[in-house]
Structure formats: structure tokens, C-alpha cells
Amino acid sequence: GQSLEQPSEVTAVEGAIVQINCTYQTSGFYGLSWYQQHDGGAPTFLSYNALDGLEETGRFSSFLSRSDSYGYLLLQELQMKDSASYFCASRNDMRFGAGTRLTVKP
Amino acid sequence: DTGVSQDPRHKITKRGQNVTFRCDPISEHNRLYWYRQTLGQGPEFLTYFQNEAQLEKSRLLSDRFSAERPKGSFSTLEIQRTEQGDSAMYLCASSLREGYEQYFGPGTRLTVT
């Protein structure tokens, strides 16, 4: 069936780098998006990959390998405000993963 | 502020009652989506519109749920004969067109007692 799998939790310290992985099974794949959601807030768009490779947006980068049905979100120079849930989502069928809760510790 | 607004922000209702939520998307956005989110889960797709046309409805959505976007602008989501399992955050999002990033509203939190 169609699904996106990502780790449920990740913990890292301020200033570190963290990678959040996403593997997917979906038909008619058009790309992978990443969203951030703080507790009590709405999801906000971070990044999108339609083609294989790395997309960089400031401290955040996202990678996609369509042959491996795999992508990741890379967060660099972690800050406390990065503590949130991160979701990968498929572009074509609006399906979201269950989310990875990132906790950044001092 | 993403520009998508939802009303009400919170709704408490008794089981069996009907509820209606409203979403006002960003004005130039053609696509409008409805999702449901429960604690610890990602948004679950319910339905989406291209202008006023409802193009897809999740197979998970029961017949008690209906959505409209009568003039291609705002949209309403109605839940009839609410059940406790309907308690969730209902999120609306809009995008400029197919394949573009979605902008989410703040959500309507529904509690069915």
C-alpha cells in the first residue's frame, strides 16, 4: 500500500547536525515534501524534492533518491527552536508520514 | 501568518450533533485541502478541491462527512451525527496549484463528548 515511514523520535544537542529519514511506497510519485510543526501550531512547509539530489535552504537541506524510495531532511547548527515534529509528505496523494519528534537539548 | 484562516478554532459538541467548519484559503490559491490530525500522528488526507470541484475524497471518509467549496473560495466541512472518534484537529490547507507547497491554517479542534 501507500505509506511513508519515518522514525518516531530523534534527540540531539544544540549546534549539532541531525538527519531525519523517510522511506516511502507510493504510486505515481511526484516528489517528497517536508513540513515542520511546533506543538499547538500548524504544519509549515520546509522543503521539496522532485528530482534526485540535495536541495539546500539555509540550515535545512533535503535529499531524495527515487531509485531507493528514500529521502531525508538534514538540519544543521541545531537551535532550541528547532524542537518540533517533522513530517515527510508525498506530493501526489497528499499523504503524510506519522512524523518525527525532534528534541534539541542544551 | 500563512493567510489561511479557519473558524471556529475550537468546537465542543455532544455525540450525535452536527458540526460545520469553515476555511478561507489564500485568495489566489486554486487548491484547497482538508486534513484530520490526531495526537502524535501526521495529517490524514480527507478531501481536496480544485476551484469549486471536489476532485478526491479519502476512502477513509465516512458518509457523515461532506465538504463544499461553492464559489471556489471558502470551503466548509460538515460532520453529521458526530461520534467520539471524530475528536481531532481538522486542518485546512491551500496551494497555488497542483504540485505547489501547501499553506496550512491554524486548525479547528473538535471535541465530541
Side-chain angles (χ1 to χ4, degrees), chain A residues 30 33 35 37 40-45 48 87 91-99, chain B residues 2 31 33 35 37 40-43 45 48 56 91 98-102 104-106:
Chain A
Y30 292 156
S33 298
Y35 288 81
Q37 186 176 30
T44 56
F45 173 79
Y48 168 59
F87 299 94
R91 273 290 177 110
N92 57 310
D93 61 358
M94 289 72 71
R95 185 173 296 274
F96 284 70
Chain B
T2 64
R31 290 217 162 184
Y33 310 81
Y35 294 89
Q37 188 176 27
Q41 297 298 314
F45 170 75
Y48 85 94
E56 187 174 341
L91 294 165
E98 180 181 9
Y100 280 62
E101 63 268 25
Q102 297 182 32
F104 282 82

Side-chain angles (χ1 to χ4, degrees), chain A residues 27-90:
Chain A
S27 60
F29 183 73
Y30 292 156
L32 198 68
S33 298
W34 289 92
Y35 288 81
Q36 178 192 60
Q37 186 176 30
H38 286 97
D39 287 346
T44 56
F45 173 79
L46 290 177
S47 187
Y48 168 59
N49 295 76
L51 302 174
D52 291 357
L54 191 67
E55 292 287 337
E56 298 182 77
T57 309
R59 294 188 297 114
F60 295 170
S61 302
S62 58
F63 172 82
L64 178 65
S65 169
R66 288 173 296 171
S67 60
D68 296 323
S69 297
Y70 163 75
Y72 65 72
L73 179 69
L74 191 73
L75 296 86
Q76 303 182 69
E77 301 172 15
L78 282 174
Q79 303 175 9
M80 297 295 288
K81 67 178 182 180
D82 297 329
S83 293
S85 292
Y86 293 83
F87 299 94
C88 57
S90 64

Side-chain angles (χ1 to χ4, degrees), chain B residues 60-79:
Chain B
L60 302 174
L61 208 61
S62 79
D63 291 341
R64 296 184 297 106
F65 288 71
S66 62
E68 294 183 341
R69 194 183 183 196
K71 296 183 178 179
S73 56
F74 74 93
S75 176
T76 58
L77 177 69
E78 181 183 18
I79 309 174

Side-chain angles (χ1 to χ4, degrees), chain B residues 42-62:
Chain B
E44 175 190 16
F45 170 75
L46 296 179
T47 189
Y48 85 94
F49 293 83
Q50 171 76 28
N51 298 315
E52 66 276 9
Q54 186 174 19
L55 296 187
E56 187 174 341
K57 187 175 177 180
S58 170
R59 285 172 288 180
L60 302 174
L61 208 61
S62 79

